[in-house]
Amino acid sequence: MELLCSLPPSVVPEQMDVTDWRHRNAARAVLLNDRDEVALMHVAKEGYYKLPGGGFEGDEQAEHALVREMLEETGCAIAVERALGRIDEYREGKELFHVSYCYLARVVGEPGQPQLTREERARGFEVVWLPSLQAALEVMAVAFWEGRGSRDTLERDMEFLQTAMASV
């Protein structure tokens, strides 16, 4: 999958030794319904929004993880339209190399009930549908500039939304 960028932007991947770092792969979606509304996860207790998705389980492949995560977080079965790209994140303070694979996907059928983890429920996760890709990008940008939520998460997800906007 095409690498969109590395975060933080100042990182030169070839100069990083991440062999002893934790490695995490995740699958995310810019998820659209039949009205072209965009699903975001509202993290109510922290006041920000993020794309739905999450980490691989075991040796799971990206698209399988994506289908599972969309069911868990949004309650939606999906059809993958296309890959948008990947973003490599180097989180030095946490010694974490985090790779996010992102897809453009559409809801199939009627949404069911999300199956959130205890931690997600405690943080106030809830799926919300925004009227457009632009609206989704704007709510994330406000949180980013106001310092709500994780800057890494917001920067990554805004990049994925901008890529989706350019390709739709």
Side-chain angles (χ1 to χ4, degrees):
M1 183 177 293
E2 178 186 356
L3 176 65
L4 298 176
C5 67
S6 295
L7 296 174
S10 60
V11 165
V12 180
E14 299 80 32
Q15 296 175 355
M16 300 287 294
D17 180 8
V18 297
T19 53
D20 293 333
W21 289 20
R22 279 186 310 121
H23 187 116
R24 182 171 189 260
N25 290 319
R28 309 186 184 292
V30 174
L31 180 61
L32 305 173
N33 65 17
D34 60 354
R35 294 180 303 278
D36 284 336
E37 295 170 322
V38 182
L40 292 181
M41 300 307 298
H42 182 215
V43 185
K45 297 221 172 143
E46 297 166 39
Y48 75 101
Y49 297 81
K50 66 184 246 20
L51 291 175
F56 292 15
E57 291 181 355
D59 58 358
E60 196 172 39
Q61 296 300 307
E63 285 193 34
H64 185 267
L66 180 72
V67 168
R68 178 184 50 74
E69 283 289 340
M70 292 306 106
L71 274 171
E72 290 174 3
E73 288 196 352
T74 69
C76 297
I78 64 164
V80 176
E81 289 194 354
R82 68 179 165 278
L84 292 173
R86 85 169 202 269
I87 293 178
D88 294 348
E89 297 174 68
Y90 298 85
R91 299 183 183 176
E92 287 190 82
K94 297 179 181 179
E95 293 189 331
L96 172 66
F97 177 58
H98 189 232
V99 179
S100 288
Y101 300 88
C102 192
Y103 298 84
L104 182 65
R106 289 210 175 254
V107 174
V108 174
E110 293 298 314
Q113 276 300 108
Q115 301 297 313
L116 300 173
T117 66
R118 180 180 297 136
E119 178 189 346
E120 289 166 340
R121 288 190 306 273
R123 292 174 66 195
F125 274 44
E126 61 184 343
V127 64
V128 297
W129 293 90
L130 293 169
S132 67
L133 291 167
Q134 184 62 42
L137 185 60
E138 288 170 7
V139 299
M140 283 188 182
V142 167
F144 181 85
W145 292 112
E146 290 180 354
R148 291 183 275 133
S150 163
R151 288 186 72 83
D152 295 334
T153 298
L154 291 164
E155 188 172 8
R156 175 196 67 217
D157 288 355
M158 288 188 308
E159 181 71 30
F160 285 139
L161 282 168
Q162 289 169 338
T163 300
M165 288 173 63
S167 70
V168 174

